Amino acid sequence: MDDILRHARAAYGDLRKPDYLFFRHAQENNPWAGLLKSLSARFKLEDWSDWEDGVGFSYAVRGRADSKRSWSLWLSAVGPYAFLCANVAETLRRQDVITSADVTDPDPAELVRELHAAGATLLTADEIETTVDFTSFEGKYPASTFVLLFGEEDVPWWHES
């Protein structure tokens, strides 16, 4: 968590009164452009990024050709962090989180390898659920690590509670 907070302070400045200007720069010079190019050679990417409330990039990732497999991918503009879930759905579940290439399906294993090759740290469900000393754009304090790294929408499975 110390590394995440170090990157957050470098991006936002004061975490109680964050400055979101860094995200405008990230939108103009996507730090994940090389990764996205590499992924798009194997997968179909659909950009779901929220330019209004986000501080990261989000994508629906779908297998090519006849594959019905899909994943939800978030890439942070705050630091080298990614969050990957099996399935693109209205309701994502905690058990859908993918954190390593130790999966039987070759597609998510390839996604994980590409993310690691790009320098991304895949976060666990516990890590994104952790509450941190951060005031969100909407004034919510404290906030989850998910909000800190990816945007105003909170941990995906918390929406269903």
Side-chain angles (χ1 to χ4, degrees):
M1 192 56 59
D2 290 341
D3 192 53
I4 290 172
L5 291 173
R6 183 176 52 77
H7 278 95
R9 286 184 194 97
Y12 290 108
D14 185 346
L15 298 182
R16 293 271 182 114
K17 295 178 184 170
D19 181 350
Y20 289 83
L21 188 58
F22 76 93
F23 188 53
R24 183 176 307 149
H25 177 72
Q27 288 171 321
E28 294 168 0
N29 308 297
N30 186 337
W32 299 105
L35 169 66
L36 296 171
K37 182 177 180 180
S38 178
L39 289 177
S40 65
R42 168 72 175 86
F43 300 97
K44 180 180 178 196
L45 301 178
E46 185 178 335
D47 191 342
W48 286 11
S49 301
D50 183 348
W51 303 120
E52 299 279 325
D53 296 330
V55 291
F57 308 92
S58 60
Y59 299 90
V61 181
R62 301 180 196 285
R64 295 274 187 196
D66 60 350
S67 174
K68 297 200 182 323
R69 299 282 312 206
S70 63
W71 302 268
S72 296
L73 173 64
W74 289 267
L75 301 168
S76 183
V78 174
Y81 304 104
F83 184 62
L84 181 65
C85 286
N87 304 316
V88 173
E90 291 288 322
T91 305
L92 292 174
R93 302 165 309 176
R94 195 175 203 276
Q95 60 266 32
D96 292 330
V97 177
I98 299 171
T99 58
S100 74
D102 190 21
V103 291
T104 57
D105 188 332
D107 284 342
E110 184 175 341
L111 278 169
V112 170
R113 282 191 300 275
E114 291 279 348
L115 288 162
H116 285 165
T121 298
L122 279 167
L123 300 175
T124 66
D126 286 340
E127 288 170 321
I128 68 151
E129 289 176 338
T130 300
T131 301
V132 292
D133 186 20
F134 177 69
T135 304
S136 74
F137 183 77
E138 294 175 340
K140 181 179 176 181
Y141 173 86
S144 70
T145 302
F146 188 89
V147 170
L148 176 78
L149 296 177
F150 304 109
E152 289 305 307
E153 291 296 320
D154 221 323
V155 177
W157 46 91
W158 286 0
H159 296 289
E160 302 307 314
S161 307

